[in-house]
Amino acid sequence: MNRRRTTTAAVLGALLLPLVLTTAGTASAAGPAPGAPAAPAAASAPATTGAVIPELPRPTGRYAVGQETLHLVDHSRTDPWAGSGPRELMVTLRYPAHRGTGGPPAPYLTDDEARLLLADRGLEQQVAVESLAGTKAYARTGARPVTGRHPLVVLSPGFTVPRATLTSLAEELASRGHVVAAVDHAYETAGTSFPGGRVLTCKACDVVRQTKDYKPVADNRARDVSFLLDRLTGRHPAWRHSGLIDRKRIAAAGHSMGGSAAAAVMAADPRVRAGIDMDGGLFSPVPDGGLDGRPFMLLGGADAVPGSMPGNPAGWDANWPRLDGWKRWITFADAHHFTFTDWPAVSDRLGLPRMTPLPGDRSVELTRRYVGAFFDLHLKGIPQPLLDGPAADAPEVRFHRP
């Protein structure tokens, strides 16, 4: 990756390029061995240094949003990237909650996570750690949940970036009545804080850089998601509010590599009823036999997805015919790879130049609108004419029927 810092635009470009091969470090910080599910590592406090603090768009649903974090350990699997120790996940759960309950808004990132992400993107001299770590979101820790059974949506982020980058979408879905589990997969981000003061960095990056093979990443994430479902919906659930989850209404979505993982877990786990790939190559191709008629949506930037050309097994055009249920291929004009994350809104608030004409808040609005419509249709059975074709108030949106 080009690390030159000659102009602010070039710096922002480094942040927004598709995160595939990176120069993230590979050694985890020293700390205790992983243990049973526990509280997360200490999170950073809101910035008090006078740094610019970005504020994400407010969720628009009828409910407030509660938040809790789980550390999960799969003792049945050896971590494929470390080559030793059990597989670990950090999971942020957001859920519909009663307004006026709970503690302060949950932190966006720990200081360590923010520092490593900025360094990985070449922005450590341009953006203060306090600015990124202190980004204002709206979910409140310990908020009282709205009773009843709610659909579950699992979100997986892009390769090398943390689950926090999908906060705007997660909060929106929770405010609309879903339980949302956003997952950090160990050793697959620039840096994720784990209990005991450990910060795990991207060992998977070194493996992929050597092999040029992303399929193991998608398939491993699919196993992570299935394990997460076991721990959330099994006989002895790891989360105290697991009773909120309707086990018959489960879906998966993700950005970039996380979108590939959504398709991979649908192919492997029949509990997942619907899925969305947001601008990610399908590195674990859709099986020839399809997904048993379950719905899947491809939601991408102006170029559909980088590398989506005839003959590319990871391309959408190669996989589209295998999707055997309800399906859509939708793109946003003037979008880029990170349109479907928090980055455009955060960048606008930090005063960084845009990579495309599409404003940050509009990126968040469109992503929330179309992802929310998909899950309202397929998990709640609410008709969504928005997904039938172009809308006058969304001229950026294109429907493709290859």
Side-chain angles (χ1 to χ4, degrees):
M1 177 177 294
N2 186 350
R3 295 290 188 177
R4 291 177 299 174
R5 303 178 178 88
T6 55
T7 67
T8 306
V11 168
L12 182 62
L15 174 64
L16 295 177
L17 283 172
L19 298 180
V20 181
L21 292 179
T22 77
T23 56
T26 58
S28 65
S44 55
T48 58
T49 62
V52 175
I53 304 300
E55 181 175 344
L56 298 178
R58 287 183 176 274
T60 67
R62 61 183 294 193
Y63 301 113
V65 180
Q67 176 170 322
E68 294 189 355
T69 302
L70 288 180
H71 169 224
L72 299 181
V73 182
D74 186 353
H75 292 282
S76 71
R77 296 164 60 203
T78 299
D79 188 279
W81 314 123
S84 62
R87 182 66 172 162
E88 296 181 78
L89 306 176
M90 292 302 298
V91 184
T92 298
L93 287 145
R94 296 180 179 89
Y95 54 90
H98 291 277
R99 297 192 181 278
T101 66
Y108 188 72
L109 289 168
T110 68
D111 286 344
D112 284 334
E113 290 168 338
R115 174 178 53 81
L116 288 165
L117 182 57
L118 289 170
D120 188 57
R121 299 294 93 201
L123 285 171
E124 65 271 38
Q125 301 301 318
Q126 286 70 36
V127 179
V129 167
E130 299 95 325
S131 289
L132 186 57
T135 296
K136 181 180 177 181
Y138 299 94
R140 293 184 173 269
T141 55
R144 182 162 57 90
V146 173
T147 58
R149 298 284 180 138
H150 307 280
L152 170 66
V153 177
V154 179
L155 295 180
S156 181
F159 193 45
T160 81
V161 295
R163 65 195 188 277
T165 57
L166 297 175
T167 294
S168 290
L169 178 58
E171 290 190 338
E172 176 70 12
L173 293 174
S175 79
R176 293 170 66 152
H178 298 79
V179 174
V180 184
V183 186
D184 265 354
H185 310 265
Y187 300 111
E188 296 183 23
T189 71
T192 296
S193 295
F194 279 76
R198 295 174 299 133
V199 181
L200 305 186
T201 54
C202 195
K203 292 191 175 191
C205 294
D206 283 347
V207 176
V208 170
R209 189 178 295 109
Q210 294 173 7
T211 65
K212 313 297 185 196
D213 185 2
Y214 299 96
K215 185 177 186 299
V217 183
D219 290 342
N220 190 61
R221 288 193 179 197
R223 289 187 284 272
D224 289 344
V225 173
S226 288
F227 167 69
L228 171 62
L229 297 183
D230 293 342
R231 298 297 288 124
L232 290 180
T233 65
R235 294 183 60 184
H236 303 288
W239 185 38
R240 63 174 178 159
H241 295 313
S242 286
L244 296 173
I245 297 172
D246 185 339
R247 301 177 186 180
K248 295 182 179 180
R249 294 188 292 166
I250 296 173
H255 168 245
S256 194
M257 180 59 72
S260 186
V265 73
M266 284 190 68
D269 195 327
R271 292 176 293 182
V272 183
R273 285 185 44 181
I276 301 175
D277 177 2
M278 296 183 290
D279 214 59
L282 292 169
F283 298 106
S284 188
V286 175
D288 290 338
L291 298 176
D292 298 323
R294 287 169 290 169
F296 200 83
M297 184 164 74
L298 302 169
L299 185 63
D303 296 325
V305 65
S308 183
M309 72 281 286
N312 176 13
W316 288 2
D317 39 15
N319 285 273
W320 175 259
R322 302 188 193 112
L323 296 173
D324 58 339
W326 184 104
K327 60 185 178 181
R328 293 292 185 274
W329 180 332
I330 297 173
T331 61
F332 298 165
D334 295 328
H336 53 65
H337 188 55
F338 273 79
T339 288
F340 311 94
T341 73
D342 297 344
W343 285 124
V346 170
S347 296
D348 278 4
R349 283 155 175 76
L350 289 174
L352 298 172
R354 293 177 187 151
M355 295 300 292
T356 73
L358 193 64
D361 281 2
R362 183 62 169 167
S363 297
V364 170
E365 178 189 354
L366 290 174
T367 300
R368 287 173 163 182
R369 186 176 177 185
Y370 282 85
V371 171
F374 177 87
F375 289 131
D376 280 351
L377 173 63
H378 295 294
L379 296 182
K380 296 182 178 181
I382 302 172
Q384 297 294 323
L386 178 72
L387 298 176
D388 293 338
D393 62 348
E396 307 95 333
V397 179
R398 307 282 190 271
F399 283 72
H400 300 262
R401 293 178 174 83

